[in-house]
Amino acid sequence: MSDSGTGLAIETSGLVKVFGETRAVDGVDLAVPAGTVYGVLGPNGAGKTTTVKVLATLLRPDGGEARVFGRDVLREADAVRARVSLTGQYASVDEDLTGMENLVLLGRLLGHGKRPARERAGQLLEAFGLTEAAGRQVKNYSGGMRRRIDIAASILNTPDLLFLDEPTTGLDPRSRNQVWDIVRAVVAQGTTVLLTTQYLDEADQLASRIAVIDHGKVIAEGTKGELKASVGAGTVHVRLREAAQRPGAERLLTEAMGARIQLDHDPVALTARVGTGGDGKGAAEQAAHALAELARAGIVVDNFSLGQPSLDEVFLALTDRNTTGGTSAPGNPVDPGSKKEGIAA
């Protein structure tokens, strides 16, 4: 629950973090509603991990302001730490201890008595499907099990704000789904989650609002629907019968739809983002006209679909626009805030 008077768990204004000549975080503004999952998307080196570390009081900002539940991360760092927990990209538990031993140890360090620490550990192991593995050393856990024990360790004392920094990196689909279920359960209990990820489907599944960060700047922010609408009312996917006809199809689609055509890896496939309206009618009309033009030119279409842009397409459009628009420095340096732990931001 927020006690900032604004209903926000996180507020940043012009947040800056500099490493040498690199502005890893370059004027980030965030407003994260309490009790939600807020997604932060960005490519490697975008500044995601550094932003999280500043908010979690692990790094000092070099400019701007940042508040967590109304508390300044610099002047009131202890108050912030009392309300947050951080799970990084790699399991931070002791691999030579068992799952139970890890949770009991951390519970004792957090001030629980011996019996309450063991009881809490047992509750979490059961909730996370790890009861049968409780007596095994963590080094013998699968990747998905390690992520679950790591998140369990982060909520031994239920935090008001949980930072999850790319929590499903390297996991198989089943393990990712298990972590997603855990995130939903944590939020249902009132915890706010700030989730950084490179997986667009992960943000689509979990986040109510999303910020896209590139080169240390927020280049877009909003709900999934708002972000998708920002790059066009619809996306047309066309699959041709003959690869040799793709250059002609690209020219006709460009003329008929007035849209940028993307040549997919599949040699017979093309994609176009069309329309700017929110209801999609303009996109449908343009798509119908384009199909008629292809048929008139003798270009055979084997498959055609019209739908809302995916988050993958939104992400590619936004980051491409940021790179070509000259809004930030060229290149995509590794986020220096993550180098110490070998983490890609």
Side-chain angles (χ1 to χ4, degrees):
M1 183 175 65
S2 170
D3 55 10
S4 65
T6 64
L8 298 176
I10 297 172
E11 304 167 80
T12 73
S13 176
L15 189 63
V16 173
K17 181 60 186 178
V18 179
F19 297 93
E21 297 182 357
T22 301
R23 294 175 72 85
V25 179
D26 191 11
V28 165
D29 297 332
L30 294 175
V32 178
T36 65
V37 179
Y38 190 92
V40 179
L41 301 180
N44 282 336
K48 304 187 303 295
T49 293
T50 298
T51 299
V52 165
K53 287 185 175 182
V54 170
L55 293 172
T57 74
L58 298 178
L59 290 174
R60 294 175 61 90
D62 295 310
E65 295 184 348
R67 295 181 176 275
V68 173
F69 297 109
R71 304 288 189 173
D72 187 274
V73 298
L74 266 179
R75 296 189 295 272
E76 301 170 281
D78 288 343
V80 171
R81 291 176 190 137
R83 303 189 65 175
V84 307
S85 187
L86 167 64
T87 297
Q89 294 177 31
Y90 301 98
S92 58
V93 292
D94 191 324
E95 293 194 345
D96 290 325
L97 299 180
T98 67
M100 174 64 80
E101 289 169 341
N102 266 289
L103 295 184
V104 170
L105 173 61
L106 291 170
R108 296 285 282 152
L109 291 173
L110 289 169
H112 294 281
K114 188 173 182 179
R115 178 176 292 178
R118 192 166 187 84
E119 289 176 351
R120 178 59 174 161
Q123 292 170 358
L124 290 170
L125 289 166
E126 182 178 0
F128 286 23
L130 293 170
T131 301
E132 293 184 3
R136 287 161 47 191
Q137 290 177 301
V138 171
K139 65 183 177 183
N140 296 318
Y141 281 15
S142 67
M145 293 167 68
R146 292 185 186 209
R147 297 309 290 147
R148 280 182 276 157
I149 196 71
D150 206 31
I151 296 174
S154 298
I155 60 172
L156 274 162
N157 286 348
T158 304
D160 293 320
L161 172 61
L162 176 62
F163 295 104
L164 292 178
D165 191 14
E166 301 194 19
T168 62
T169 297
L171 298 187
D172 61 80
R174 175 176 292 182
S175 296
R176 289 179 67 203
N177 284 329
Q178 290 172 338
V179 172
W180 291 355
D181 288 341
I182 290 169
V183 173
R184 294 185 184 104
V186 167
V187 175
Q189 295 176 1
T191 295
T192 304
V193 173
L194 188 142
L195 169 77
T196 75
T197 182
Q198 296 182 67
Y199 297 130
L200 287 302
D201 59 333
E202 187 159 84
D204 214 349
Q205 285 279 338
L206 297 175
S208 56
R209 295 189 71 84
I210 298 169
V212 181
I213 293 182
D214 198 15
H215 298 102
K217 299 176 181 289
V218 175
I219 59 174
E221 197 277 348
T223 65
K224 291 172 283 188
E226 290 169 345
L227 291 177
K228 290 175 180 179
S230 72
V231 299
T235 298
V236 175
H237 299 279
V238 176
R239 184 177 176 81
L240 308 174
R241 181 166 298 176
E242 300 289 342
Q245 293 186 320
R246 190 162 78 164
E250 179 185 8
R251 177 180 55 80
L252 284 174
L253 288 174
T254 301
E255 294 173 356
M257 306 179 76
R260 178 181 175 184
I261 308 302
Q262 176 185 328
L263 301 179
D264 299 348
H265 292 299
D266 184 338
V268 295
L270 305 91
T271 299
R273 292 191 303 272
V274 295
T276 56
D279 57 8
K281 291 181 180 178
E285 293 170 358
Q286 291 180 63
H289 174 61
L291 283 176
E293 290 296 313
L294 291 175
R296 193 172 293 118
I299 297 175
V300 180
V301 175
D302 270 349
N303 187 274
F304 163 82
S305 65
L306 171 64
Q308 193 179 38
S310 68
L311 269 185
D312 294 85
E313 291 165 333
V314 171
F315 180 76
L316 291 171
L318 291 171
T319 53
D320 180 61
R321 186 182 305 165
N322 189 43
T323 300
T324 59
T327 57
S328 58
N332 194 19
V334 173
D335 181 353
S338 65
K339 279 187 175 180
K340 295 178 183 177
E341 300 177 6
I343 297 174

